Amino acid sequence: MSQQYNSMSAVCATCKHWGGTRELKQYGDYVELDNSMQTGACYSHESGWFNCSPVQASSYCRCWEKWSALR
């Protein structure tokens, strides 16, 4: 089942530092993932997850910054 997050959701899936596979939908209103357990790399040096285990898309982080592709 797919998972969707809008541009106001401060989760890794909507963060500019997250490197997982995501698809932009509805002209940039939200991102869609294949499933809710999807993971990806975090490219923020301050997050504590940089170059570590994959981070789940639904995770929260103090270094969150909105992905520029989102409106």
Side-chain angles (χ1 to χ4, degrees):
M1 176 181 260
S2 68
Q3 179 69 41
Q4 298 173 349
Y5 296 100
N6 66 28
S7 62
M8 300 306 292
S9 299
V11 295
C12 290
T14 61
C15 182
K16 77 175 194 174
H17 302 293
W18 193 68
T21 303
R22 56 192 167 183
E23 190 173 340
L24 199 59
K25 295 288 190 169
Q26 201 71 20
Y27 306 106
D29 287 339
Y30 64 92
V31 295
E32 185 173 271
L33 306 164
D34 290 337
N35 67 61
S36 60
M37 301 301 285
Q38 192 167 329
T39 60
C42 177
Y43 296 107
S44 170
H45 290 282
E46 291 82 35
S47 72
W49 291 329
F50 185 74
N51 282 337
C52 293
S53 301
V55 181
Q56 193 168 353
S58 60
S59 296
Y60 294 91
C61 175
R62 61 183 170 81
C63 298
W64 180 86
E65 292 182 57
K66 188 167 120 180
W67 185 31
S68 61
L70 289 167
R71 292 200 282 171

